[in-house]
Amino acid sequence: MVMFLFLVVALAVVVGAVTLAVVGGGDNAPLPEAAPERLQDSLPPDRPVSRADVDRLRFPLAARGYRMADVDDALGRLAAELAERDARITDLESALAGARAAGEHPSMDKPAAHPEDDQR
């Protein structure tokens, strides 16, 4: 029984010493404050985002999942680029429709060629 009490007290002393060594220490603490993980490979600011950029995008883990600021920044950038591409597609489709409409209606400036004029 005495040996058991000695082991319990020794264990308590060791746990207490390790706890004080890790937590205590003030300014010269043995374990420095860990810097928060930040998004390393963000989306490129100097060119449009490609499929490969989105595939490579990985968010660092935080205490409750992902860092909300990193995810919000990436989603905001993707939303802006998608809106820009949608506007460009709409412009190009309207220009194409205008060109097709102009091609269907002959111009009033030139008279239509008559096949009988070519036979003379």
Side-chain angles (χ1 to χ4, degrees), residues 9-95:
V9 171
L11 181 63
V13 169
V14 169
V15 169
V18 170
T19 302
L20 286 176
V22 171
V23 175
D27 293 334
N28 56 359
L31 295 178
E33 189 67 32
E37 286 188 49
R38 297 297 301 169
L39 185 62
Q40 295 297 324
D41 296 324
S42 62
L43 298 174
D46 57 340
R47 62 177 172 80
V49 176
S50 69
R51 166 81 188 241
D53 295 328
V54 176
D55 287 341
R56 269 194 314 270
L57 188 61
R58 296 290 178 260
F59 297 105
L61 294 177
R64 295 184 303 167
Y66 295 107
R67 293 180 51 85
M68 288 174 48
D70 291 338
V71 175
D72 289 344
D73 290 344
L75 288 177
R77 172 73 190 277
L78 290 173
E81 291 220 8
L82 287 174
E84 182 180 323
R85 288 179 187 175
D86 288 345
R88 178 77 174 142
I89 289 170
T90 302
D91 291 345
L92 291 174
E93 285 177 342
S94 65

Side-chain angles (χ1 to χ4, degrees), residues 111-120:
H114 295 285
E116 59 268 359
D117 291 341
D118 292 338
Q119 292 177 356
R120 290 187 202 174

